[in-house]
mmCIF file of all heavy atoms in Angstrom:
data_model
loop_
_atom_site.group_PDB
_atom_site.id
_atom_site.type_symbol
_atom_site.label_atom_id
_atom_site.label_comp_id
_atom_site.label_asym_id
_atom_site.label_seq_id
_atom_site.Cartn_x
_atom_site.Cartn_y
_atom_site.Cartn_z
ATOM 1 N N SER K 28 -16.668 14.450 5.463
ATOM 2 C CA SER K 28 -16.443 13.017 5.601
ATOM 3 C C SER K 28 -15.062 12.689 5.053
ATOM 4 O O SER K 28 -14.697 13.131 3.962
ATOM 5 C CB SER K 28 -17.509 12.238 4.828
ATOM 6 O OG SER K 28 -17.265 10.851 4.895
ATOM 7 N N ILE K 29 -14.271 11.947 5.822
ATOM 8 C CA ILE K 29 -12.928 11.573 5.390
ATOM 9 C C ILE K 29 -12.720 10.088 5.630
ATOM 10 O O ILE K 29 -13.383 9.472 6.459
ATOM 11 C CB ILE K 29 -11.841 12.378 6.141
ATOM 12 C CG1 ILE K 29 -11.963 12.163 7.650
ATOM 13 C CG2 ILE K 29 -11.893 13.839 5.783
ATOM 14 C CD1 ILE K 29 -10.868 12.827 8.436
ATOM 15 N N GLY K 30 -11.810 9.512 4.888
ATOM 16 C CA GLY K 30 -11.520 8.100 5.091
ATOM 17 C C GLY K 30 -10.711 7.516 3.965
ATOM 18 O O GLY K 30 -10.446 8.161 2.945
ATOM 19 N N GLY K 31 -10.298 6.275 4.180
ATOM 20 C CA GLY K 31 -9.518 5.579 3.179
ATOM 21 C C GLY K 31 -8.849 4.352 3.758
ATOM 22 O O GLY K 31 -9.281 3.816 4.788
ATOM 23 N N PHE K 32 -7.768 3.942 3.110
ATOM 24 C CA PHE K 32 -7.093 2.694 3.452
ATOM 25 C C PHE K 32 -5.586 2.937 3.552
ATOM 26 O O PHE K 32 -5.001 3.606 2.701
ATOM 27 C CB PHE K 32 -7.353 1.625 2.389
ATOM 28 C CG PHE K 32 -8.812 1.348 2.147
ATOM 29 C CD1 PHE K 32 -9.545 2.138 1.261
ATOM 30 C CD2 PHE K 32 -9.446 0.309 2.805
ATOM 31 C CE1 PHE K 32 -10.880 1.886 1.032
ATOM 32 C CE2 PHE K 32 -10.788 0.051 2.582
ATOM 33 C CZ PHE K 32 -11.515 0.839 1.694
ATOM 34 N N GLY K 33 -4.981 2.384 4.579
ATOM 35 C CA GLY K 33 -3.526 2.391 4.709
ATOM 36 C C GLY K 33 -3.016 0.970 4.579
ATOM 37 O O GLY K 33 -3.424 0.079 5.324
ATOM 38 N N VAL K 34 -2.140 0.733 3.615
ATOM 39 C CA VAL K 34 -1.586 -0.602 3.351
ATOM 40 C C VAL K 34 -0.120 -0.607 3.742
ATOM 41 O O VAL K 34 0.674 0.199 3.240
ATOM 42 C CB VAL K 34 -1.727 -0.980 1.863
ATOM 43 C CG1 VAL K 34 -1.104 -2.348 1.604
ATOM 44 C CG2 VAL K 34 -3.194 -0.958 1.446
ATOM 45 N N ARG K 35 0.252 -1.506 4.646
ATOM 46 C CA ARG K 35 1.654 -1.633 5.042
ATOM 47 C C ARG K 35 2.066 -3.091 4.911
ATOM 48 O O ARG K 35 1.374 -3.981 5.400
ATOM 49 C CB ARG K 35 1.871 -1.148 6.475
ATOM 50 C CG ARG K 35 3.353 -1.041 6.852
ATOM 51 C CD ARG K 35 3.564 -0.382 8.194
ATOM 52 N NE ARG K 35 3.108 -1.195 9.310
ATOM 53 C CZ ARG K 35 3.644 -1.168 10.529
ATOM 54 N NH1 ARG K 35 4.673 -0.362 10.783
ATOM 55 N NH2 ARG K 35 3.158 -1.918 11.491
ATOM 56 N N VAL K 36 3.198 -3.309 4.258
ATOM 57 C CA VAL K 36 3.688 -4.677 4.060
ATOM 58 C C VAL K 36 5.152 -4.745 4.460
ATOM 59 O O VAL K 36 5.891 -3.752 4.401
ATOM 60 C CB VAL K 36 3.522 -5.137 2.594
ATOM 61 C CG1 VAL K 36 2.071 -5.026 2.157
ATOM 62 C CG2 VAL K 36 4.435 -4.352 1.669
ATOM 63 N N LEU K 37 5.557 -5.932 4.854
ATOM 64 C CA LEU K 37 6.957 -6.221 5.158
ATOM 65 C C LEU K 37 7.455 -7.224 4.140
ATOM 66 O O LEU K 37 6.917 -8.332 4.021
ATOM 67 C CB LEU K 37 7.082 -6.787 6.573
ATOM 68 C CG LEU K 37 8.492 -7.059 7.103
ATOM 69 C CD1 LEU K 37 9.323 -5.783 7.138
ATOM 70 C CD2 LEU K 37 8.412 -7.696 8.496
ATOM 71 N N ALA K 38 8.441 -6.831 3.362
ATOM 72 C CA ALA K 38 9.012 -7.705 2.336
ATOM 73 C C ALA K 38 10.500 -7.410 2.227
ATOM 74 O O ALA K 38 10.925 -6.248 2.299
ATOM 75 C CB ALA K 38 8.329 -7.487 0.982
ATOM 76 N N ASN K 39 11.280 -8.462 2.075
ATOM 77 C CA ASN K 39 12.726 -8.309 1.971
ATOM 78 C C ASN K 39 13.309 -7.582 3.191
ATOM 79 O O ASN K 39 14.294 -6.860 3.103
ATOM 80 C CB ASN K 39 13.084 -7.536 0.693
ATOM 81 C CG ASN K 39 14.529 -7.746 0.271
ATOM 82 O OD1 ASN K 39 15.104 -8.811 0.489
ATOM 83 N ND2 ASN K 39 15.127 -6.721 -0.327
ATOM 84 N N GLY K 40 12.644 -7.764 4.345
ATOM 85 C CA GLY K 40 13.121 -7.136 5.571
ATOM 86 C C GLY K 40 12.892 -5.645 5.658
ATOM 87 O O GLY K 40 13.459 -4.976 6.526
ATOM 88 N N SER K 41 12.045 -5.080 4.774
ATOM 89 C CA SER K 41 11.787 -3.641 4.764
ATOM 90 C C SER K 41 10.293 -3.362 4.680
ATOM 91 O O SER K 41 9.517 -4.188 4.183
ATOM 92 C CB SER K 41 12.489 -2.967 3.574
ATOM 93 O OG SER K 41 13.889 -3.062 3.696
ATOM 94 N N TRP K 42 9.932 -2.185 5.154
ATOM 95 C CA TRP K 42 8.540 -1.766 5.108
ATOM 96 C C TRP K 42 8.211 -1.066 3.794
ATOM 97 O O TRP K 42 9.028 -0.334 3.250
ATOM 98 C CB TRP K 42 8.225 -0.798 6.243
ATOM 99 C CG TRP K 42 8.174 -1.391 7.616
ATOM 100 C CD1 TRP K 42 9.025 -1.144 8.647
ATOM 101 C CD2 TRP K 42 7.191 -2.305 8.124
ATOM 102 N NE1 TRP K 42 8.659 -1.844 9.762
ATOM 103 C CE2 TRP K 42 7.528 -2.568 9.472
ATOM 104 C CE3 TRP K 42 6.076 -2.936 7.571
ATOM 105 C CZ2 TRP K 42 6.781 -3.433 10.279
ATOM 106 C CZ3 TRP K 42 5.331 -3.786 8.370
ATOM 107 C CH2 TRP K 42 5.680 -4.034 9.699
ATOM 108 N N GLY K 43 6.993 -1.281 3.334
ATOM 109 C CA GLY K 43 6.421 -0.498 2.254
ATOM 110 C C GLY K 43 5.052 -0.028 2.689
ATOM 111 O O GLY K 43 4.270 -0.817 3.235
ATOM 112 N N PHE K 44 4.750 1.241 2.473
ATOM 113 C CA PHE K 44 3.466 1.793 2.932
ATOM 114 C C PHE K 44 2.868 2.693 1.867
ATOM 115 O O PHE K 44 3.566 3.537 1.278
ATOM 116 C CB PHE K 44 3.645 2.592 4.224
ATOM 117 C CG PHE K 44 2.377 3.258 4.685
ATOM 118 C CD1 PHE K 44 1.395 2.535 5.351
ATOM 119 C CD2 PHE K 44 2.157 4.610 4.431
ATOM 120 C CE1 PHE K 44 0.218 3.147 5.764
ATOM 121 C CE2 PHE K 44 0.983 5.234 4.850
ATOM 122 C CZ PHE K 44 0.010 4.490 5.518
ATOM 123 N N VAL K 45 1.564 2.520 1.624
ATOM 124 C CA VAL K 45 0.821 3.355 0.680
ATOM 125 C C VAL K 45 -0.574 3.576 1.248
ATOM 126 O O VAL K 45 -1.179 2.638 1.796
ATOM 127 C CB VAL K 45 0.712 2.697 -0.715
ATOM 128 C CG1 VAL K 45 -0.158 3.548 -1.638
ATOM 129 C CG2 VAL K 45 2.092 2.495 -1.323
ATOM 130 N N SER K 46 -1.091 4.790 1.120
ATOM 131 C CA SER K 46 -2.472 5.058 1.528
ATOM 132 C C SER K 46 -3.266 5.571 0.334
ATOM 133 O O SER K 46 -2.732 6.271 -0.523
ATOM 134 C CB SER K 46 -2.524 6.084 2.662
ATOM 135 O OG SER K 46 -2.073 7.345 2.233
ATOM 136 N N VAL K 47 -4.533 5.193 0.280
ATOM 137 C CA VAL K 47 -5.441 5.621 -0.783
ATOM 138 C C VAL K 47 -6.796 5.936 -0.167
ATOM 139 O O VAL K 47 -7.118 5.476 0.926
ATOM 140 C CB VAL K 47 -5.590 4.539 -1.877
ATOM 141 C CG1 VAL K 47 -4.296 4.353 -2.643
ATOM 142 C CG2 VAL K 47 -6.060 3.210 -1.279
ATOM 143 N N ASN K 48 -7.577 6.708 -0.882
ATOM 144 C CA ASN K 48 -8.895 7.101 -0.387
ATOM 145 C C ASN K 48 -10.019 6.203 -0.875
ATOM 146 O O ASN K 48 -11.092 6.160 -0.270
ATOM 147 C CB ASN K 48 -9.205 8.547 -0.799
ATOM 148 C CG ASN K 48 -8.184 9.530 -0.260
ATOM 149 O OD1 ASN K 48 -7.436 10.137 -1.008
ATOM 150 N ND2 ASN K 48 -8.144 9.687 1.053
ATOM 151 N N SER K 49 -9.788 5.490 -1.967
ATOM 152 C CA SER K 49 -10.857 4.740 -2.607
ATOM 153 C C SER K 49 -10.582 3.236 -2.592
ATOM 154 O O SER K 49 -9.433 2.800 -2.773
ATOM 155 C CB SER K 49 -11.023 5.211 -4.056
ATOM 156 O OG SER K 49 -11.883 4.369 -4.765
ATOM 157 N N ARG K 50 -11.641 2.470 -2.407
ATOM 158 C CA ARG K 50 -11.516 1.015 -2.460
ATOM 159 C C ARG K 50 -11.070 0.566 -3.851
ATOM 160 O O ARG K 50 -10.384 -0.455 -3.991
ATOM 161 C CB ARG K 50 -12.867 0.372 -2.101
ATOM 162 C CG ARG K 50 -12.814 -1.142 -1.943
ATOM 163 C CD ARG K 50 -14.183 -1.690 -1.542
ATOM 164 N NE ARG K 50 -14.579 -1.187 -0.244
ATOM 165 C CZ ARG K 50 -14.265 -1.757 0.909
ATOM 166 N NH1 ARG K 50 -13.509 -2.850 0.914
ATOM 167 N NH2 ARG K 50 -14.700 -1.258 2.053
ATOM 168 N N GLU K 51 -11.430 1.319 -4.872
ATOM 169 C CA GLU K 51 -11.036 0.970 -6.227
ATOM 170 C C GLU K 51 -9.516 1.024 -6.418
ATOM 171 O O GLU K 51 -8.972 0.390 -7.331
ATOM 172 C CB GLU K 51 -11.705 1.904 -7.248
ATOM 173 C CG GLU K 51 -13.187 1.637 -7.468
ATOM 174 C CD GLU K 51 -14.043 2.025 -6.278
ATOM 175 O OE1 GLU K 51 -13.634 2.932 -5.509
ATOM 176 O OE2 GLU K 51 -15.110 1.399 -6.073
ATOM 177 N N ASP K 52 -8.819 1.776 -5.567
ATOM 178 C CA ASP K 52 -7.369 1.903 -5.676
ATOM 179 C C ASP K 52 -6.613 0.947 -4.764
ATOM 180 O O ASP K 52 -5.379 0.982 -4.693
ATOM 181 C CB ASP K 52 -6.942 3.341 -5.338
ATOM 182 C CG ASP K 52 -7.463 4.357 -6.340
ATOM 183 O OD1 ASP K 52 -7.537 4.003 -7.533
ATOM 184 O OD2 ASP K 52 -7.793 5.478 -5.933
ATOM 185 N N LEU K 53 -7.347 0.087 -4.063
ATOM 186 C CA LEU K 53 -6.724 -0.770 -3.061
ATOM 187 C C LEU K 53 -5.763 -1.780 -3.690
ATOM 188 O O LEU K 53 -4.663 -2.020 -3.175
ATOM 189 C CB LEU K 53 -7.816 -1.481 -2.259
ATOM 190 C CG LEU K 53 -7.426 -2.114 -0.923
ATOM 191 C CD1 LEU K 53 -6.635 -1.161 -0.047
ATOM 192 C CD2 LEU K 53 -8.682 -2.593 -0.194
ATOM 193 N N GLU K 54 -6.155 -2.359 -4.817
ATOM 194 C CA GLU K 54 -5.280 -3.330 -5.478
ATOM 195 C C GLU K 54 -3.981 -2.668 -5.917
ATOM 196 O O GLU K 54 -2.898 -3.240 -5.732
ATOM 197 C CB GLU K 54 -5.997 -3.943 -6.679
ATOM 198 C CG GLU K 54 -5.176 -5.009 -7.390
ATOM 199 C CD GLU K 54 -5.964 -5.697 -8.507
ATOM 200 O OE1 GLU K 54 -7.184 -5.470 -8.604
ATOM 201 O OE2 GLU K 54 -5.338 -6.450 -9.283
ATOM 202 N N TRP K 55 -4.081 -1.473 -6.487
ATOM 203 C CA TRP K 55 -2.866 -0.734 -6.872
ATOM 204 C C TRP K 55 -1.998 -0.443 -5.660
ATOM 205 O O TRP K 55 -0.774 -0.579 -5.709
ATOM 206 C CB TRP K 55 -3.258 0.581 -7.552
ATOM 207 C CG TRP K 55 -2.078 1.476 -7.799
ATOM 208 C CD1 TRP K 55 -1.242 1.463 -8.875
ATOM 209 C CD2 TRP K 55 -1.587 2.506 -6.927
ATOM 210 N NE1 TRP K 55 -0.261 2.419 -8.723
ATOM 211 C CE2 TRP K 55 -0.450 3.070 -7.539
ATOM 212 C CE3 TRP K 55 -2.004 3.000 -5.687
ATOM 213 C CZ2 TRP K 55 0.280 4.110 -6.954
ATOM 214 C CZ3 TRP K 55 -1.278 4.021 -5.099
ATOM 215 C CH2 TRP K 55 -0.153 4.571 -5.737
ATOM 216 N N ALA K 56 -2.619 -0.061 -4.525
ATOM 217 C CA ALA K 56 -1.870 0.284 -3.318
ATOM 218 C C ALA K 56 -1.075 -0.909 -2.807
ATOM 219 O O ALA K 56 0.069 -0.764 -2.370
ATOM 220 C CB ALA K 56 -2.824 0.790 -2.239
ATOM 221 N N VAL K 57 -1.671 -2.094 -2.867
ATOM 222 C CA VAL K 57 -0.970 -3.295 -2.402
ATOM 223 C C VAL K 57 0.269 -3.549 -3.259
ATOM 224 O O VAL K 57 1.367 -3.778 -2.749
ATOM 225 C CB VAL K 57 -1.907 -4.509 -2.421
ATOM 226 C CG1 VAL K 57 -1.119 -5.795 -2.135
ATOM 227 C CG2 VAL K 57 -3.025 -4.338 -1.401
ATOM 228 N N GLY K 58 0.083 -3.515 -4.560
ATOM 229 C CA GLY K 58 1.215 -3.744 -5.453
ATOM 230 C C GLY K 58 2.315 -2.725 -5.257
ATOM 231 O O GLY K 58 3.512 -3.056 -5.254
ATOM 232 N N LYS K 59 1.934 -1.452 -5.087
ATOM 233 C CA LYS K 59 2.914 -0.388 -4.896
ATOM 234 C C LYS K 59 3.657 -0.565 -3.574
ATOM 235 O O LYS K 59 4.886 -0.383 -3.502
ATOM 236 C CB LYS K 59 2.208 0.969 -4.918
ATOM 237 C CG LYS K 59 3.138 2.164 -4.805
ATOM 238 C CD LYS K 59 4.031 2.302 -6.028
ATOM 239 C CE LYS K 59 4.813 3.588 -5.983
ATOM 240 N NZ LYS K 59 5.707 3.754 -7.148
ATOM 241 N N ALA K 60 2.937 -0.931 -2.502
ATOM 242 C CA ALA K 60 3.571 -1.112 -1.192
ATOM 243 C C ALA K 60 4.600 -2.231 -1.230
ATOM 244 O O ALA K 60 5.694 -2.121 -0.660
ATOM 245 C CB ALA K 60 2.511 -1.390 -0.130
ATOM 246 N N VAL K 61 4.270 -3.333 -1.938
ATOM 247 C CA VAL K 61 5.218 -4.450 -2.041
ATOM 248 C C VAL K 61 6.462 -4.019 -2.815
ATOM 249 O O VAL K 61 7.599 -4.340 -2.441
ATOM 250 C CB VAL K 61 4.553 -5.670 -2.687
ATOM 251 C CG1 VAL K 61 5.586 -6.764 -2.961
ATOM 252 C CG2 VAL K 61 3.436 -6.211 -1.798
ATOM 253 N N LYS K 62 6.281 -3.264 -3.883
ATOM 254 C CA LYS K 62 7.419 -2.785 -4.662
ATOM 255 C C LYS K 62 8.317 -1.871 -3.833
ATOM 256 O O LYS K 62 9.546 -1.955 -3.885
ATOM 257 C CB LYS K 62 6.931 -2.044 -5.906
ATOM 258 C CG LYS K 62 6.335 -2.946 -6.976
ATOM 259 C CD LYS K 62 5.880 -2.127 -8.177
ATOM 260 C CE LYS K 62 5.278 -3.029 -9.254
ATOM 261 N NZ LYS K 62 4.791 -2.235 -10.427
ATOM 262 N N LEU K 63 7.707 -1.002 -3.042
ATOM 263 C CA LEU K 63 8.480 -0.101 -2.201
ATOM 264 C C LEU K 63 9.290 -0.875 -1.168
ATOM 265 O O LEU K 63 10.447 -0.552 -0.893
ATOM 266 C CB LEU K 63 7.551 0.892 -1.494
ATOM 267 C CG LEU K 63 6.887 1.952 -2.376
ATOM 268 C CD1 LEU K 63 5.874 2.752 -1.575
ATOM 269 C CD2 LEU K 63 7.933 2.891 -2.977
ATOM 270 N N ALA K 64 8.673 -1.906 -0.592
ATOM 271 C CA ALA K 64 9.373 -2.697 0.415
ATOM 272 C C ALA K 64 10.566 -3.436 -0.181
ATOM 273 O O ALA K 64 11.623 -3.559 0.458
ATOM 274 C CB ALA K 64 8.403 -3.685 1.056
ATOM 275 N N ARG K 65 10.424 -3.909 -1.409
ATOM 276 C CA ARG K 65 11.493 -4.704 -2.032
ATOM 277 C C ARG K 65 12.709 -3.867 -2.405
ATOM 278 O O ARG K 65 13.787 -4.415 -2.667
ATOM 279 C CB ARG K 65 10.943 -5.403 -3.274
ATOM 280 C CG ARG K 65 10.091 -6.618 -2.939
ATOM 281 C CD ARG K 65 9.532 -7.239 -4.186
ATOM 282 N NE ARG K 65 8.885 -8.521 -3.920
ATOM 283 C CZ ARG K 65 8.110 -9.154 -4.770
ATOM 284 N NH1 ARG K 65 7.879 -8.619 -5.973
ATOM 285 N NH2 ARG K 65 7.565 -10.309 -4.442
ATOM 286 N N VAL K 66 12.552 -2.538 -2.401
ATOM 287 C CA VAL K 66 13.681 -1.676 -2.734
ATOM 288 C C VAL K 66 14.770 -1.764 -1.674
ATOM 289 O O VAL K 66 15.958 -1.677 -1.961
ATOM 290 C CB VAL K 66 13.205 -0.211 -2.903
ATOM 291 C CG1 VAL K 66 14.395 0.733 -3.005
ATOM 292 C CG2 VAL K 66 12.306 -0.082 -4.124
#
């Protein structure tokens, strides 16, 4: 069994993407994706 979540955001005109396997990590993934996009 495989699965998870892919989070992609557009911020500051750039993409940020993070994937995680657990719903418990979803909040962290969102924050990380936004930080990556802002770079």
Side-chain angles (χ1 to χ4, degrees):
S28 177
I29 58 175
F32 304 85
V34 178
R35 190 172 69 150
V36 303
L37 184 60
N39 200 32
S41 295
W42 289 114
F44 176 79
V45 176
S46 66
V47 293
N48 301 113
S49 170
R50 188 178 296 272
E51 286 70 27
D52 295 325
L53 197 49
E54 182 175 351
W55 172 86
V57 172
K59 183 67 172 179
V61 173
K62 288 180 180 178
L63 290 173
R65 283 178 171 167
V66 170

